[in-house]
Amino acid sequence: MTRKKILSVSIILAAALIIVLNLPVIPVVSMSNRKKPSQRYYVDARSQQGFVISYTHSVNKGRVYDEYLCWSETGGIDSQSFLLNSTTFVSYGAGIPEPEEVPGAVFSVTDQGYVISNLNRVVPKLVMAVGTIADHEIDFYVFEKGVNLVKRNFALKDLFEPQTSIIIEKKKVSLVQYLIYKL
């Protein structure tokens, strides 16, 4: 092979590598600042099935746990939506749904408090403000054989300034983006 051919092949391979590294192929749960999109964090959606956002309720001061599944109509990870599956709370307050409002919802009492399951509310993305008093946390879960295992826990105030408006959504990112912004 001549030098010219080796150089041409090297340039083509380098260009192909750059393209492959920048293709959006990795499904992630993305948490980003609405006003500063460059402030973002990714969690590999393939390694977890859902997450729980917990916070202190502003009225009754009890802890609320909202469980979201990485939902799709076909059951695959490629959907861009979440499914609000259940909420657990210690006392009713503003914003807590009544089970009768949601067809198929099941109300139960456990050691952790009241649980409304089977909410089945499709949420394309979550937009929320990191609270100053609410102490928002997000727990990423791996579901194995019906048992919930906490994978990772993050206090949102440690990732974003309090009162920051954030977006939690599913998307596909490149390997380069994932390595730069992964939690």
Side-chain angles (χ1 to χ4, degrees):
M1 241 183 178
T2 67
R3 281 185 151 179
K4 193 174 185 179
K5 284 184 181 179
I6 292 173
L7 183 60
S8 296
V9 168
S10 297
I11 291 171
I12 290 170
L13 289 175
L17 181 61
I18 289 169
I19 290 170
V20 167
L21 290 176
N22 286 291
L23 285 175
V25 295
I26 299 174
V28 297
V29 174
S30 169
M31 296 183 289
S32 61
N33 183 325
R34 285 183 72 191
K35 293 184 179 177
K36 298 180 199 170
S38 62
Q39 184 187 12
R40 59 186 159 198
Y41 302 94
Y42 297 144
V43 175
D44 188 344
R46 298 170 300 179
S47 67
Q48 51 88 26
Q49 298 294 311
F51 55 92
V52 171
I53 294 180
S54 61
Y55 57 94
T56 301
H57 194 278
S58 62
V59 176
N60 65 35
K61 305 301 181 200
R63 204 75 181 146
V64 179
Y65 302 86
D66 291 334
E67 178 190 50
Y68 293 88
L69 303 178
C70 292
W71 179 83
S72 76
E73 290 179 24
T74 61
I77 197 71
D78 292 331
S79 169
Q80 297 302 304
S81 298
F82 300 114
L83 181 73
L84 175 58
N85 185 52
S86 67
T87 187
T88 303
F89 52 96
V90 293
S91 169
Y92 269 99
I96 303 285
E98 292 287 340
E100 300 81 29
E101 295 173 3
V102 182
V106 177
F107 180 84
S108 58
V109 180
T110 69
D111 292 342
Q112 289 77 37
Y114 302 111
V115 178
I116 303 175
S117 56
N118 294 333
L119 289 171
N120 296 325
R121 184 176 299 159
V122 177
V123 182
K125 62 183 171 184
L126 300 168
V127 179
M128 61 183 285
V130 177
T132 55
I133 298 171
D135 194 25
H136 289 97
E137 292 184 358
I138 188 164
D139 295 323
F140 288 96
Y141 281 73
V142 175
F143 298 109
E144 294 180 358
K145 299 178 185 173
V147 178
N148 295 340
L149 303 172
V150 174
K151 183 167 189 201
R152 298 177 84 184
N153 170 274
F154 300 98
L156 291 180
K157 68 181 178 186
D158 292 342
L159 302 175
F160 302 96
E161 288 290 319
Q163 299 184 336
T164 299
S165 179
I166 66 170
I167 300 171
I168 301 173
E169 62 188 331
K170 287 174 61 179
K171 57 175 33 174
K172 288 188 177 180
V173 299
S174 71
L175 178 60
V176 171
Q177 287 175 310
Y178 177 69
L179 292 175
I180 291 171
Y181 297 108
K182 79 175 194 156
L183 277 175

